[in-house]
Amino acid sequence: MFGVVFPNRSFPMDISAFSQIDTSHWVLDMNTFVGEAYDQIREMCIFLLNNFTLPPDKALAVYIQSPGSQFLFCGAVTLARPSAVLTLPWPEPSGQMQLMPTDSAPVSAKIGVSVEDLASLQSLDVTAEKRIERLALKVDSVSQFNMKENGRRHCCRREQLVVRSRGDFSN
């Protein structure tokens, strides 16, 4: 169906590394993969395998969850986009302490994958859109700075021309 790779961290893993919740939802417990260092995993490549046929109006959506927080959408793959490298912007873990029996497994971070309607997804790559927004803001800031600088230079040239037009060519 699908596989994942954590660049510089893992070999390719297939769906068998995930726990299947139902026919369209899978979860990877990061505690079994990297322990408490889940937040050091910053990227994930997800890809459809050749023998998997995803309907054209469906997508495999990827979500991440820090301990005690809600799932956060990261991106998706489709038949038209069968692989993607997604940034994993791990949310801060919730400050709420959870009381658990001493023999229970620790609460851990998770990566969720689900089959969803393509039309219901906000984007195929949320972090790429955020990078584009940040870049647009930077370009706008640089543009405004350059306009101010050009205005100052133009002003200075006008003043120099005025001085020179009075016959002061001593420079």
Side-chain angles (χ1 to χ4, degrees):
M1 180 173 251
F2 68 89
V4 299
V5 171
F6 297 98
N8 301 318
R9 297 282 188 159
S10 76
F11 292 103
M13 298 186 291
D14 66 9
I15 196 171
S16 67
F18 288 70
S19 299
Q20 187 167 4
I21 306 304
D22 58 33
T23 58
S24 62
H25 294 88
W26 299 266
V27 173
L28 177 64
D29 184 345
M30 295 301 284
N31 206 28
T32 60
F33 179 58
V34 291
E36 293 180 11
Y38 67 89
D39 58 346
Q40 294 175 10
I41 306 296
R42 292 292 186 195
E43 289 183 318
M44 173 180 144
C45 175
I46 183 167
F47 51 92
L48 299 177
L49 296 174
N50 291 335
N51 60 352
F52 179 61
T53 55
L54 187 67
D57 62 334
K58 299 289 184 183
L60 273 182
V62 176
Y63 295 85
I64 57 175
Q65 180 187 43
S66 295
S69 69
Q70 298 293 317
F71 274 98
L72 175 70
F73 176 70
C74 294
V77 292
T78 65
L79 281 180
R81 184 180 182 229
S83 65
V85 176
L86 303 173
T87 301
L88 305 177
W90 292 99
E92 288 296 318
S94 173
Q96 301 172 354
M97 291 297 291
Q98 298 179 356
L99 297 177
M100 302 176 76
T102 55
D103 61 342
S104 67
V107 177
S108 66
K110 295 175 176 49
I111 293 179
V113 176
S114 67
V115 177
E116 297 185 15
D117 289 330
L118 183 57
S120 70
L121 297 175
Q122 57 199 24
S123 166
L124 292 182
D125 192 346
V126 174
T127 51
E129 282 188 6
K130 288 181 181 177
R131 280 190 298 249
I132 291 168
E133 283 177 23
R134 284 194 303 269
L135 179 61
L137 289 173
K138 286 179 185 177
V139 167
D140 186 48
S141 295
V142 168
S143 233
Q144 288 179 5
F145 175 78
N146 286 339
M147 284 175 38
K148 287 179 185 175
E149 284 300 305
N150 285 338
R152 287 187 194 131
R153 284 189 211 128
H154 185 68
C155 248
C156 294
R157 285 189 204 128
R158 238 185 287 139
E159 289 171 5
Q160 289 171 350
L161 288 174
V162 170
V163 170
R164 290 184 181 171
S165 69
R166 292 187 184 152
D168 184 12
F169 296 99
S170 59
N171 287 346

